[in-house]
Amino acid sequence: MIQKSPYKFFLLTFLLIALDQGVKLAVHHYMAPGFAGQVKVAGDWLKLHYVLNPGMAFGMQLGHEYGKLLLSIFRLFAMVGIGYYLVNLAHRGAPNGLLWAMAMILAGAVGNVIDSTFYGVFLNNAPYGSPTPWFHGQVIDMIFVDVWEGFIPEWVPVWGGQYYSTPIFNVADSCIFVGVCIILFFQRRFFGEPPIEDSLLPVTGPDATEASVLPASELLDEKPAPKPAKEDSETPIDDSQQPTPESVWPEEPKRSE
């Protein structure tokens, strides 16, 4: 496979990060949080709804004083790992669809890392009582697909008796979701068997450094092997065994007078 440059895929990552941050900052400065600032985009099922997410996806949190800090550090390592994996895939000549999907996932990871790292300082949205505003920023979510909302029945374990609505997410979450779906739907094409032309090529070849060279003295001592004697195609015929005219055409018997 031919190696590919990862720069065009990183360009898509940069554009998606810029879009994600632009939408988040616009929502923060021009929308009121909660239902008061909710904006309908497409009927009653697609809305813009400004909320702050203090933890992981769907608002889940780590029940520890430094849980948010650990989550932010984990996101940083995940961001670096995804970027390295994207470069490695490009150098190995991976399919373009897989590289575009990884670029989208990287954009989503970086977008949420920016929120967690800097928003607690520059937007002052760190949760109350945080040890430090750094790495404790809350992620801004705004895309609300209002399919269903209401109170869950009491008999439902864990979530019973609580108010629930479909998750509210952002552009970065959408990039991660779409990128993962592309990889899942086309995984056989992305990670299937290599083409026949590539599979027929030898995996390893001879190494020139391991070639052995005979000394000149051994080459001089070697004598060419004797050639086998050629057999004559024509075998000499003995004259005594050659047929005579008499043997071929016998004489007629003489008539008695």
Side-chain angles (χ1 to χ4, degrees), residues 74-87 106 109-110 113:
F74 171 78
R75 284 174 171 171
L76 284 173
F77 280 102
M79 176 188 69
V80 175
I82 295 172
Y84 175 80
Y85 186 56
L86 175 59
V87 174
L106 177 61
V110 174
V113 164

Side-chain angles (χ1 to χ4, degrees), residues 22-33 36-39 48 50 140:
V23 172
K24 289 176 178 176
L25 293 177
V27 168
H28 174 76
H29 289 291
Y30 299 106
M31 287 186 63
Q38 183 172 276
V39 177
L48 292 179
Y50 178 18
I140 295 178

Side-chain angles (χ1 to χ4, degrees), residues 33-220:
F35 288 96
Q38 183 172 276
V39 177
K40 294 183 178 180
V41 177
D44 292 331
W45 64 273
L46 181 59
K47 309 172 184 177
L48 292 179
H49 189 102
Y50 178 18
V51 294
L52 294 176
N53 181 0
M56 298 179 289
F58 311 116
M60 293 184 294
Q61 304 182 49
L62 296 177
H64 192 273
E65 180 181 1
Y66 295 96
K68 178 67 176 180
L69 178 61
L70 295 175
L71 178 61
S72 300
I73 294 175
F74 171 78
R75 284 174 171 171
L76 284 173
F77 280 102
M79 176 188 69
V80 175
I82 295 172
Y84 175 80
Y85 186 56
L86 175 59
V87 174
N88 183 265
L89 288 175
H91 288 169
R92 289 164 49 191
N96 286 338
L98 176 59
L99 296 174
W100 291 123
M102 292 303 302
M104 297 179 67
I105 295 174
L106 177 61
V110 174
N112 288 332
V113 164
I114 293 175
D115 297 19
S116 300
T117 306
F118 302 107
Y119 279 11
V121 177
F122 297 105
L123 300 184
N124 195 27
N125 70 353
Y128 177 77
S130 300
T132 172
W134 292 100
F135 300 103
H136 284 80
Q138 300 187 77
V139 178
I140 295 178
D141 293 332
M142 78 293 296
I143 303 175
F144 183 22
V145 181
D146 192 2
V147 178
W148 181 88
E149 57 181 320
F151 285 93
I152 301 177
E154 295 287 346
W155 53 267
V156 176
V158 182
W159 297 284
Q162 300 181 10
Y163 177 81
Y164 174 83
S165 67
T166 49
I168 303 174
F169 52 95
N170 53 41
V171 177
D173 299 331
S174 303
C175 292
I176 296 175
F177 178 78
V178 173
V180 171
C181 288
I182 291 175
I183 294 176
L184 292 177
F185 290 155
F186 300 100
Q187 59 179 331
R188 295 187 64 180
R189 181 183 301 180
F190 295 158
F191 304 103
E193 297 180 358
I196 299 178
E197 293 80 1
D198 294 344
S199 61
L200 294 178
L201 296 176
V203 179
T204 58
D207 189 359
T209 58
E210 298 179 355
S212 59
V213 180
L214 294 176
S217 59
E218 295 185 10
L219 292 176
L220 294 177

